[in-house]
């Protein structure tokens, strides 16, 4: 559970051993088979998980029926539908295991119990939501201020291993570009290497 404690410290700030132990006691190991659904669009997500291993894809269908991959969650990231889990609204996103995945999961019921039992959790939760917001803000800023090629380069540097593990159209979608644009950039990058 060292990974868990390290991730909790990274996302939620400095906590002592007792606090970490209390938080850890609410999370359970969960296995997902390849293609297994974590939560579906239109439902209300009832769990929050840390990815210990594997890849989960967060996606939705556009009005014209095209799949839009919003995020690829890998080891060390949390995964949930934020609107569903935190605000009890219907999920926009479907989350599916792209590979076999091992998760550490807290149910919504246990999450609420943790909030009651451990008052400091409210402050920790606030930091978590702010961190999620900051990540989304960073993605929006990069989409507005960077060229497609700059976004490609940045994502490649941060997620190099994903380029060999998932279909490239998923990465193109995450980056907000068509598969054709993505392919042109990828070809240019390989020619320049």
């Amino acid at each position: 559970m060292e990974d868990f404690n390290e991730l909790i410290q990274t996302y939620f700030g400095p906590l002592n051993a007792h606090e970490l132990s209390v938080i850890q006691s609410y999370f359970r190991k969960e296995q997902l088979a390849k293609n297994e659904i974590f939560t579906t669009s239109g439902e209300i997500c009832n769990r929050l998980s840390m990815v210990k291993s594997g890849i989960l894809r967060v996606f939705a269908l556009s009005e014209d029926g095209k799949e839009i991959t919003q995020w690829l969650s890998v080891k060390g990231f949390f995964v949930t539908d934020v609107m569903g889990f935190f605000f009890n609204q219907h999920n926009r996103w479907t989350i599916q295991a792209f590979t076999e995945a091992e998760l550490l999961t807290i149910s919504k019921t246990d999450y609420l119990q943790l909030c009651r039992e451990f008052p400091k959790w409210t402050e920790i939760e606030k930091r978590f939501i702010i961190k999620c917001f900051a990540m989304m803000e960073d993605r929006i800023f990069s989409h507005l201020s960077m060229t497609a090629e700059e976004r490609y380069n940045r994502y490649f540097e941060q997620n190099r291993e994903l380029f060999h593990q998932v279909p490239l159209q998923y990465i193109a979608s995450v980056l907000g570009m068509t598969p054709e644009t993505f392919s042109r950039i990828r070809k240019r990058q390989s020619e320049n290497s």
Side-chain angles (χ1 to χ4, degrees):
M1 292 290 239
E2 277 182 41
D3 288 348
F4 179 83
N5 288 346
E6 188 177 308
L7 188 68
I8 292 293
Q9 297 280 21
T10 299
Y11 271 89
F12 304 122
L15 298 166
N16 65 41
H18 172 72
E19 292 168 333
L20 284 168
S21 176
V22 169
I23 293 167
Q24 195 177 82
S25 72
Y26 281 91
F27 283 80
R28 305 284 178 258
K29 287 184 180 179
E30 179 180 7
Q31 298 287 136
L32 292 179
K34 182 177 180 175
N35 298 323
E36 188 174 343
I37 299 293
F38 178 85
T39 192
T40 302
S41 177
E43 294 179 349
I44 296 177
C45 188
N46 64 359
R47 62 200 202 265
L48 168 74
S49 297
M50 180 192 101
V51 180
K52 281 195 69 171
S53 67
I55 302 168
L56 284 84
R57 183 170 74 109
V58 181
F59 68 96
L61 292 177
S62 66
E63 288 183 17
D64 61 1
K66 291 182 184 173
E67 280 189 4
I68 300 166
T69 299
Q70 187 258 7
W71 187 255
L72 295 165
S73 196
V74 296
K75 179 181 177 177
F77 281 92
F78 281 91
V79 66
T80 193
D81 185 286
V82 172
M83 295 307 287
F85 189 79
F86 290 105
F87 301 105
N88 292 318
Q89 295 183 12
H90 293 283
N91 299 345
R92 171 177 294 154
W93 307 104
T94 293
I95 302 173
Q96 181 179 28
F98 181 75
T99 64
E100 288 184 0
E102 184 180 350
L103 311 174
L104 291 171
T105 299
I106 186 168
S107 68
K108 180 71 174 195
T109 303
D110 284 347
Y111 189 90
L112 295 173
Q113 178 63 31
L114 177 59
C115 292
R116 287 189 293 274
E117 181 183 308
F118 187 54
K120 186 175 180 180
W121 186 254
T122 304
E123 177 189 327
I124 293 167
E125 176 187 56
K126 180 179 172 185
R127 278 189 250 149
F128 176 72
I129 292 172
I130 289 169
K131 207 160 221 169
C132 290
F133 180 78
M135 285 175 61
M136 293 307 292
E137 191 176 63
D138 187 47
R139 282 190 65 199
I140 292 166
F141 181 77
S142 71
H143 278 25
L144 296 174
S145 66
M146 298 172 118
T147 66
E149 192 153 353
E150 288 169 335
R151 288 194 313 271
Y152 175 98
N153 290 335
R154 182 178 183 195
Y155 195 82
F156 182 78
E157 288 305 314
Q158 295 171 343
N159 302 283
R160 192 176 298 252
E161 71 286 349
L162 280 179
F163 283 69
H164 304 290
Q165 296 175 318
V166 301
L168 297 179
Q169 73 260 21
Y170 296 163
I171 297 173
S173 183
V174 168
L175 294 174
M177 59 182 79
T178 65
E180 295 78 21
T181 299
F182 185 90
S183 292
R184 279 194 302 275
I185 293 169
R186 187 167 168 79
K187 183 178 179 190
R188 238 185 345 262
Q189 294 296 322
S190 65
E191 288 170 355
N192 294 335
S193 296

